[in-house]
Amino acid sequence: MIGPDSVPRLARGMRLREDAARGRWVVLGPERMFVPDETALEVLRLLDGARSVAAIVDDLAARYDAPREEIAADVTALLQELAEKGVVTA
Amino acid sequence: MTAEAAAMRQDAVPAVEPPLALLAELTHRCPLRCPYCSNPVALTRPARELDTATWARVFREAAALGCLQVHLSGGEPTARRDIVEIVRAAAEAGLYTNLITAGVTLDAAKVAALVGAGLDHVQLSVQDAEGAPADRIAGAAGAHARKREAARLVRAAGLPLTLNAVVHRQNLDRLPALIALAVELGAARLEVAHVQYYGWALANREALLPTRAQLDAATAEVERARAALAGRLVIDYVVPDYFAKRPKACMGGWGRRFLAVSPAGRVLPCHAAESLPGFDFPDVRAVSLRWAWEESEAFRRFRGTAWMPEPCRGCARAEIDWGGCRCQAFALTGDAAATDPACALSPHHHLLAEAVAAAGEAGFTYRRMGAGGGGDDG
Ligand code: SF4
Ligand code: SF4
């Protein structure tokens, strides 16, 4: 389960890269590809294998005009979903 | 086709989207002899295989065209002595590199070299959950034990692993054990792939088609395991055509998402298409990948919906499943331009139920070089 102290990162074999031909970013994995929406892309870019979920939420809370609890809930749910899909490990 | 008809046809063909993935069939050589092998019955001789430099050019052209991934396949791709250079060329072109291997030729040094060259992921095939039946299907003694060792080496090198289990009448009952094997070997993903019946598999259909009861048990098992293993193992599974009411969007539609290059350099909309008659598939030694994708008649023929016959024409699902699989349509009806018989609306749909009813105990025809006439064989 993803919690505030989890330190998530892209799972080995997953790559976040620009898809220049289509003007977007994608997460590439074996036989699968995710096109992150704007929020997910923000979060994915912050995954460096050092920052905790709490630190990621702090970063986003400082930049976006939304209550911290709301951001924390969204980020946790997103990372949980990505972890279940094998995109992210923590 | 007259110039006028060609112009009209051009109007009906939508703007060409770039492909997402390239399937590079590096060789048809393989130490195994699976009776469902998706290689064409007429296998390509090693002397006709593309060289390293040509593959490197193909990778650069594929990336420039919009491909994000390359699947390095075969046959057994590591049967090529230049496999490390090939992986390096693909990685340098910026492609996500996936090695699709039977695993029996891998050792620690080879795995380390592949990792060093930039390999992203390994997809390892297994024929069954246990040694004896697996080796019988592979037609090679000791193969399963070597695959287990290959999986260990891949994981020890830190590479993510997908296990690919081709399932059919003779191993579907051991699906729980296959799922357990995927967990034991440290795979993050398990692909449970039902045999697709063209080429070698069509010749072995009687021996391979499962029963409805087997299929239902397997589907329930996948659902159970998906829930139990959420977050640990991703299971890819699709109900097979012979038991479906609607076809799959084969390759995401002809010439829409994927392209394949055969060992001898033919550019194909799918790896099985080379067996379709009446096609002049572009030769990558003679033309660019872009021309093959955007301009060649072979890629345009079944692209979009303008080519569709009844009942696909005007069907609400025409742009969802794109009329299904052209190779299956040809294999079952003799007409590559027919609606895929997997669709319940096809006048040939009954052929599938008849094949299921006819399946039973039958021997295998193992794949071998020199079995087919014509094609690239010889
Ligand atoms: S299906 Fe079997 S025989 Fe065919 S290439 Fe794969 S491992 Fe080799
Ligand atoms: S009729 Fe054609 S387009 Fe419609 S569901 Fe069947 S195969 Fe798909």
Side-chain angles (χ1 to χ4, degrees):
Chain A
M1 286 301 282
I2 301 281
D5 298 331
S6 310
V7 180
R9 59 188 154 76
L10 279 182
R12 181 93 193 255
M14 292 288 167
R15 282 199 182 180
L16 178 66
R17 59 159 271 191
E18 193 175 4
D19 174 7
R22 298 168 190 82
R24 63 183 185 186
W25 284 72
V26 292
V27 179
L28 294 176
E31 298 281 344
R32 52 188 60 212
M33 185 187 76
F34 299 92
V35 184
D37 62 21
E38 232 172 285
T39 323
L41 182 58
E42 263 323 307
V43 174
L44 286 167
R45 279 177 161 152
L46 294 173
L47 302 185
D48 57 6
R51 246 183 279 226
S52 66
V53 171
I56 290 168
V57 172
D58 287 342
D59 185 301
L60 293 170
R63 288 190 282 143
Y64 293 94
D65 184 23
R68 194 184 183 286
E69 310 83 78
E70 209 173 284
I71 293 178
D74 288 353
V75 168
T76 307
L78 174 75
L79 288 170
Q80 185 65 39
E81 191 193 323
L82 292 174
E84 276 162 24
K85 285 181 180 163
V87 178
V88 160
T89 52
Chain B
M1 198 186 293
T2 64
E4 202 181 328
M8 278 177 59
R9 187 186 166 106
Q10 205 165 333
D11 287 342
V13 175
V16 182
E17 292 173 59
L20 280 168
L22 168 70
L23 177 72
E25 293 206 295
L26 301 176
T27 178
H28 281 159
R29 285 174 280 156
C30 183
L32 306 188
R33 301 186 294 139
C34 306
Y36 49 69
C37 182
S38 64
N39 287 163
V41 174
L43 295 166
T44 295
R45 301 280 175 192
R48 303 199 42 169
E49 292 174 6
L50 296 181
D51 62 16
T52 324
T54 307
W55 277 116
R57 171 172 70 79
V58 168
F59 298 148
R60 287 192 301 271
E61 290 189 11
L65 197 51
C67 282
L68 301 171
Q69 314 206 6
V70 61
H71 304 290
L72 303 166
S73 172
E76 172 52 48
T78 62
R80 284 192 65 127
R81 300 217 325 249
D82 58 354
I83 185 63
V84 174
E85 286 80 71
I86 284 179
V87 167
R88 185 171 295 119
E92 279 172 7
L95 297 169
Y96 184 98
T97 54
N98 177 28
L99 183 74
I100 300 181
T101 178
V104 299
T105 47
L106 288 178
D107 58 29
K110 181 64 71 64
V111 171
L114 292 169
V115 172
L119 184 64
D120 287 306
H121 174 263
V122 172
Q123 180 176 321
L124 176 70
S125 64
V126 289
Q127 278 68 14
D128 205 317
E130 296 155 24
D135 291 353
R136 187 178 72 82
I137 290 163
H144 190 69
R146 292 214 293 283
K147 284 163 182 282
R148 292 183 65 107
E149 174 61 8
R152 197 188 63 72
L153 292 170
V154 167
R155 294 299 296 133
L159 275 179
L161 174 71
T162 290
L163 214 60
N164 173 280
V166 173
V167 292
H168 45 77
R169 188 182 197 92
Q170 307 201 17
N171 67 4
L172 199 49
D173 296 338
R174 279 184 293 279
L175 182 58
L178 276 165
I179 293 169
L181 180 67
V183 173
E184 184 202 329
L185 295 180
R189 192 166 150 269
L190 170 66
E191 210 172 72
V192 180
H194 282 275
V195 172
Q196 293 194 283
Y197 294 98
Y198 32 68
W200 294 97
L202 190 60
N204 287 296
R205 191 172 63 177
E206 250 184 86
L208 294 171
L209 263 179
T211 65
R212 177 92 229 181
Q214 278 185 306
L215 179 72
D216 290 344
T219 306
E221 170 62 16
V222 167
E223 275 162 25
R224 186 201 63 75
R226 272 182 181 157
L229 298 169
R232 288 173 64 202
L233 181 71
V234 175
I235 304 178
D236 279 4
Y237 176 83
V238 187
V239 172
D241 283 334
Y242 276 63
F243 297 89
K245 293 205 166 48
R246 292 289 179 265
K248 291 192 277 290
C250 184
M251 309 306 282
W254 182 275
R256 292 192 73 249
R257 295 276 179 268
F258 297 97
L259 73 171
V261 175
S262 77
R266 293 288 170 185
V267 190
L268 307 167
C270 101
H271 61 281
E274 197 164 12
S275 313
L276 296 176
F279 274 94
D280 182 15
F281 289 110
D283 180 351
V284 82
R285 289 186 244 227
V287 302
S288 72
L289 215 54
R290 183 176 294 278
W291 185 87
W293 177 258
E294 292 177 352
E295 306 292 337
S296 72
E297 191 278 335
F299 274 79
R300 300 170 77 112
R301 193 181 303 184
F302 297 131
R303 184 178 270 147
T305 56
W307 62 274
M308 286 183 175
E310 298 286 341
C312 295
R313 180 170 289 272
C315 174
R317 290 181 53 86
E319 295 196 355
I320 296 171
D321 62 40
W322 304 98
C325 172
R326 300 301 90 227
C327 300
Q328 183 152 271
F330 174 72
L332 295 177
T333 74
D335 178 8
T339 294
D340 185 340
C343 180
L345 301 174
S346 157
H348 298 100
H349 187 60
H350 61 94
L351 292 173
L352 303 187
E354 285 162 24
V356 170
E361 299 314 308
F364 284 149
T365 304
Y366 287 99
R367 72 160 247 175
R368 62 186 195 282
M369 286 273 174
D376 257 320
D377 192 29

